[in-house]
C-alpha cells in the first residue's frame, strides 16, 4: 500500500531559510541544503521549498538552491514561488527539481497548467491553492492569502485537475499558523471529488493533528513548517504514532 | 564505468547527482559506437513513453540497445521502453522483454498518478535487491505500469493491482520507481547495479 507522506516545508529568501530552526547538530540553521539533508535523514518523505518573497516581489526562484539540493538530497523535492512561465519551470527541471508548485500564476493564467503538464508531464506540476473562508464559502486567495479572488476553492481545484495538475497542495489560511489542526472538513470534501493526490497544509500543532488529517481529512500527504523547524515534532516520533494508529508510513 | 543513454528524454540531473554521491563513475552515450566503452548501461527516462521511444529512435540508439550484452538498467519510462508496447501513445517499444505497459486509469479505484513511497517485494533473490529487506519502500511517480509476470517480474508492488516494480530478462533490468530519489534504499540498489557483471 502507498504510504502517507510527511513533508517539511522550508521557506527560503535569498537562498537562506527564513524561520528559525531548532535542530541539534546543525552547523548552519539558515542553510536550506543542510536542513533538507537533516530532514531526509530523519525520515521526511519529501520536501517543499517555497521562495516566500517570490510572488510578492516577482523574484525568480534561485536555481543555485535547486541544484545544491538535487546534488545532496536523496528524496524528492518541490520548488515553488515566482514560477510564472514555462521557461521558469524548464530551468528548474533541468536543475534537478522533481516538481514545481504554481499558485497565483495559475489562477491568473489557468492555461499555464495545461502548458506545463504537456511540456513536462503532470507528475511535475503541483498546483498550490491558498483558501480562506468568507461568508461561509471557501475562496481562492492570492499573494500568500492577502488577496481574495471570486473563485471558489473547490471549483478551482476541479479545474486545475482537469487541466493537468499532478497534485494539489491545499493550504487553509484560516488554519495556517493557528496550530489548532488541519481543516479536515474541507480536505475531506475536496478529496472526495479528486482523483489526484492531495497534500494538506496549514494548522499542524501536534502529532494528533497528523493522525486526524489522514483519518478524517483523508489527505495523501501532510505538509508543515514550524512544528518541524522548532523541533516541536520529531519526524521519527510522528511516524511511530501514525503507525500506532494504523496509518501506513515509510 | 557506467554509461547513460543520452536521448534527451527528461532531466538526468538527479540521476547523475545520485551517482556522484555514490562515487559511481559514469559517462554519456550519445551514439552507438560509444556503447562499448562502458561496463554497464542506464536508460533514464521521464515523461511520455511514446515520445521517449521516438526520441530514442531519433538518437539512432534504439537499434543498439537490444544488442547490448552487458548489464543494462532502465529507470521509469526507461524501463517501459524495454517492453513490447505501451498504452501511452499506443506505442510499439523495443520489445526486449515480452511484456506490456498499461494505464492505471480505468483499471484501479486509486488515485492516478501513483505518487509516493510504496513497498517493493523482490522475487527469486533478484541481485538488484541485495542487502535490501523484502518490503522496502521506494519512491514512485507514474500513471502507466508494466503488467506482473511470473517469469520477468523481478519485484512487484501493489497499487490497486499487482504490477512489476522491477523486471529482468537476462542482462536487461528495469525499475519503475526512482532509485535516485528513494533515499538510502535507492542508493543501495544503484550500488547493487554497479556491482553487476
Amino acid at each position: 500500500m502507498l504510504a502517507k507522506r510527511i513533508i517539511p516545508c522550508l521557506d527560503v529568501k535569498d537562498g537562506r531559510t527564513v524561520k528559525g530552526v531548532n535542530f541539534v547538530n546543525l552547523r548552519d540553521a539558515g542553510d536550506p541544503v543542510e536542513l533538507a539533508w537533516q530532514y531526509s535523514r530523519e525520515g521526511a518523505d519529501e520536501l517543499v521549498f517555497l521562495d516566500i518573497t517570490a510572488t510578492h516581489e516577482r523574484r525568480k526562484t534561485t536555481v543555485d538552491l535547486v541544484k545544491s539540493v538535487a546534488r545532496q538530497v536523496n528524496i524528492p523535492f518541490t520548488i515553488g514561488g515566482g514560477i510564472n512561465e514555462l521557461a521558469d519551470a524548464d530551468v528548474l527541471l533541468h536543475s534537478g527539481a522533481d516538481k514545481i508548485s504554481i499558485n497565483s500564476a495559475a489562477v491568473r493564467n489557468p492555461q499555464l497548467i495545461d502548458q506545463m503538464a504537456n511540456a513536462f508531464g503532470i507528475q511535475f506540476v503541483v498546483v498550490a491553492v491558498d483558501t480562506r473562508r468568507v461568508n461561509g464559502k471557501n475562496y481562492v486567495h492570492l499573494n500568500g492569502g492577502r488577496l481574495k479572488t471570486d473563485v471558489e476553492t473547490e471549483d478551482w481545484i476541479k479545474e486545475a485537475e482537469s487541466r493537468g495538475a499532478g497534485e494539489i497542495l491545499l493550504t487553509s489560511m484560516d488554519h495556517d499558523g493557528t496550530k489548532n489542526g488541519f481543516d479536515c472538513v474541507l480536505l475531506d470534501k475536496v478529496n472526495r471529488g479528486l482523483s489526484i493526490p492531495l497534500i494538506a497544509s496549514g494548522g499542524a500543532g501536534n502529532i494528533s493533528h497528523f493522525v486526524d488529517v489522514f483519518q478524517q481529512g483523508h489527505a495523501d500527504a501532510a505538509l508543515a513548517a514550524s512544528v518541524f523547524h522548532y523541533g516541536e515534532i520529531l519526524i521519527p516520533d510522528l511516524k511511530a504514532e501514525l503507525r500506532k494508529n494504523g496509518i501506513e508510513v515509510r | 564505468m557506467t554509461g547513460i543513454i543520452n536521448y534527451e528524454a527528461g532531466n538526468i540531473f538527479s540521476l547523475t547527482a545520485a551517482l556522484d554521491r555514490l562515487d559511481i563513475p559514469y559517462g554519456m552515450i550519445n551514439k552507438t559506437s560509444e556503447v562499448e566503452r562502458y561496463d554497464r548501461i542506464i536508460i533514464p527516462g521521464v515523461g511520455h513513453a511514446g515520445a521517449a521511444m521516438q526520441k530514442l529512435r531519433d538518437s539512432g540508439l534504439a537499434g543498439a540497445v537490444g544488442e547490448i550484452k552487458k548489464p543494462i538498467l532502465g529507470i521509469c519510462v526507461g524501463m517501459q521502453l524495454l517492453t513490447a508496447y505501451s498504452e501511452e501513445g499506443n506505442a510499439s517499444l523495443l520489445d526486449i522483454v515480452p511484456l506490456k505497459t498499461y494505464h492505471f486509469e480505468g483499471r484501479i479505484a486509486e488515485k492516478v498518478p501513483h505518487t509516493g513511497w510504496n513497498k517493493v517485494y523482490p522475487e527469486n533473490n533478484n541481485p538488484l535487491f541485495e542487502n535490501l529487506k523484502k518490503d522496502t519502500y521506494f519512491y514512485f511517480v507514474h500513471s502507466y505500469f508494466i503488467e506482473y509476470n511470473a517469469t520477468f517480474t523481478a519485484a512487484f508492488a501493489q497499487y490497486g493491482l499487482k504490477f512489476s516494480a522491477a523486471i529482468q530478462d537476462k542482462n536487461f533490468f528495469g525499475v519503475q520507481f526512482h532509485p535516485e530519489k528513494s533515499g538510502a534504499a535507492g542508493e543501495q540498489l544503484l550500488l547493487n547495479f554497479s556491482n553487476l557483471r
Side-chain angles (χ1 to χ4, degrees), chain A residues 1-3 5 44-46 66-77 93-99 120-123 166-167 191 194-198 218 220 248-250, chain B residues 10-14 17-18 20-21 46-48 105 109-119 121 137-143 158-159 178-185 187:
Chain A
M1 217 171 87
L2 196 59
R5 289 173 279 156
D45 296 303
E46 250 180 84
V66 171
K67 283 188 176 164
S68 310
V69 174
R71 277 195 197 102
Q72 294 178 51
V73 176
N74 59 14
I75 57 172
F77 70 97
L93 172 77
H94 288 97
S95 305
D98 297 290
K99 311 173 196 182
F120 313 116
I122 69 167
Q123 80 291 336
E167 282 179 279
N191 186 57
L194 204 62
S195 54
I196 54 174
L198 177 63
H218 298 110
D220 299 285
E248 177 148 354
V249 287
R250 179 171 69 107
Chain B
N11 157 50
I12 57 164
F13 192 99
S14 303
D20 284 335
R21 285 196 299 274
V46 263
H48 188 283
E105 211 166 278
E110 284 76 1
K111 292 178 173 184
V112 181
H114 173 220
T115 305
W117 298 81
N118 205 340
K119 283 180 177 171
Y121 301 88
Y137 283 101
F138 287 89
Y139 185 78
F140 290 84
V141 50
H142 61 126
S143 300
Q158 295 272 5
Y159 189 62
H178 288 273
E180 75 279 18
K181 286 288 162 183
S182 293
E187 293 181 343

Side-chain angles (χ1 to χ4, degrees), chain A residues 9-21:
Chain A
C9 177
L10 293 95
D11 290 347
V12 176
K13 188 179 179 182
D14 304 324
R16 305 277 296 169
T17 44
V18 175
K19 288 176 186 163
V21 287

Side-chain angles (χ1 to χ4, degrees), chain A residues 43 55-56 62 69 81 116 134 136-137 177 180 184 187 203 205 237 244:
Chain A
T55 306
H56 200 50
T62 136
V69 174
M116 288 192 176
V134 181
K137 283 184 172 176
N180 286 330
C184 293
L187 287 160
D237 297 345
K244 207 188 287 175

